[in-house]
Amino acid sequence: METYGPISLLILGGTGEAAVLAERIAARAPMLAAIVSLAGRTAAPRPLALPMRIGGFGGATELARFLREHGVMAVVDATHPFAALMPFNADSACRMAGIPLVALRRPEWRPVAGDRWLEVPDMATAAHAIGREPKRVLLTIGRQELAAFASAPHHRYVARMIEEPEPRHGLPVLTVIRARGPFALGDEINLLRGEAIDTMVAKNAGGTATAAKLTAARALGLPVVMVARPDKPDVPVAETVDAALGWLEDHGILPTERGV
Ligand code: NAP
């Protein structure tokens, strides 16, 4: 058992929304025993307004044990829209522990007039969809799934990510740009022009922090191979931090501010 006392609220983090939610909760209810859990993928995560724990729980059953042992009353799944496993683990664990769960999940991006999107279900299909002709491709997909593009070695890749990629990504020609959003439109246009990009690959993460790249691609008339989100469990969803705070009020975790 980890060295915590009772925990009223567990936030599964890894997103900007989790950080903002932590800040809002810490400001509103400083006595609430709430913590944020991170997987530990980023070596130097940004400091948060609530205590953090880092590392996997060891699957759904172990997460359920953690919830019971610490008397957790509710869970907010604020993991990234492309986290494929944790949302299902959280759903199963909360059912086992008999406590409520809400997913804080921002809406998907939708194409607008002028966009040249090719929507694909996964990264392997994205690699194939770039085509036979050699391209100069900007990958804005993080570092965990670069290996999918080893099946299309005839393109030249520029990949933007927060931390260095695994050495065994298998891409013969790869330029890495290390950067953490949010990104401004002017900088995105300069990046696309400066690197002579002719195709972008993006995950449909949604939100505002990284949306400027799509506006930049539209402005330059570039095609975007847009990878769809993985499946999610059927649980209550709050699309914004405010909606998640409202859910916490409704479930008696946070004191209500309504009518104040
Ligand atoms: P995943 O496939 O859903 O999770 C893999 C395993 O990592 C889970 O089974 C769990 O291990 C552990 N884990 C995930 N989120 C955790 C959390 N908040 N606290 C403790 N353990 C966690 O997720 P992923 O795609 O590997 O992403 C890992 C983390 O990076 C997530 O927290 C996500 O929010 C963040 N992130 C992911 C992406 C992305 O594109 N995938 C982008 C930005 C941020 P156990 O089963 O051992 O508990």
Side-chain angles (χ1 to χ4, degrees):
M1 179 161 164
E2 291 170 77
T3 52
Y4 297 101
I7 297 170
S8 304
L9 174 65
L10 173 66
I11 300 169
L12 300 169
T15 54
E17 286 87 343
V20 174
L21 181 66
E23 209 177 304
R24 299 275 299 274
I25 290 172
R28 260 179 71 170
M31 301 309 287
L32 182 74
I35 68 164
V36 181
S37 172
L38 299 178
R41 301 284 188 275
T42 306
R46 286 179 176 165
L48 296 170
L50 291 172
M52 272 188 241
R53 68 163 294 289
I54 296 185
F57 294 90
T61 308
E62 289 306 310
L63 175 56
R65 188 202 303 272
F66 179 96
L67 298 175
R68 284 199 205 95
E69 283 179 349
H70 295 89
V72 177
M73 292 159 64
V75 175
V76 179
D77 170 14
T79 55
H80 189 268
F82 276 77
L85 289 176
M86 201 54 181
F88 287 95
N89 285 357
D91 183 26
S92 309
C94 287
R95 284 173 197 273
M96 284 186 242
I99 61 168
L101 166 72
V102 67
L104 170 51
R105 199 174 305 133
R106 51 199 186 229
E108 290 181 326
W109 290 316
R110 305 253 178 237
V112 300
D115 278 330
R116 295 175 59 203
W117 287 15
L118 180 61
E119 295 182 76
V120 296
D122 53 41
M123 225 38 94
T125 315
H128 184 71
I130 302 167
R132 288 192 180 173
E133 207 181 301
K135 300 277 185 193
R136 208 166 151 85
V137 181
L138 177 66
L139 298 175
T140 60
I141 58 166
R143 67 190 168 125
Q144 293 189 63
E145 291 173 274
L146 288 177
F149 295 87
S151 67
H154 51 298
H155 306 303
R156 295 173 69 88
Y157 295 97
V158 177
R160 180 170 66 195
M161 59 195 71
I162 296 174
E163 291 186 350
E164 279 298 316
E166 303 285 328
R168 283 175 299 174
H169 50 69
L171 293 182
V173 187
L174 176 71
T175 304
V176 174
I177 297 176
R178 285 184 57 184
R180 194 198 293 254
F183 300 106
L185 178 58
D187 294 337
E188 297 296 56
I189 290 180
N190 289 342
L191 170 65
L192 294 174
R193 284 202 176 125
E195 295 289 342
I197 298 299
D198 49 28
T199 302
M200 182 189 296
V201 179
K203 290 170 161 181
N204 197 334
T208 53
T210 60
K213 65 188 173 192
L214 304 176
T215 313
R218 188 185 315 132
L220 300 180
L222 298 186
V224 175
V225 179
M226 183 63 80
V227 181
R229 294 177 177 189
D231 289 342
K232 297 288 172 184
D234 186 14
V235 303
V237 174
E239 291 192 340
T240 62
V241 168
D242 281 326
L245 290 167
W247 184 94
L248 290 169
E249 287 178 1
D250 293 344
H251 288 75
I253 307 292
L254 269 185
T256 181
E257 277 194 337
R258 286 175 200 154
V260 175

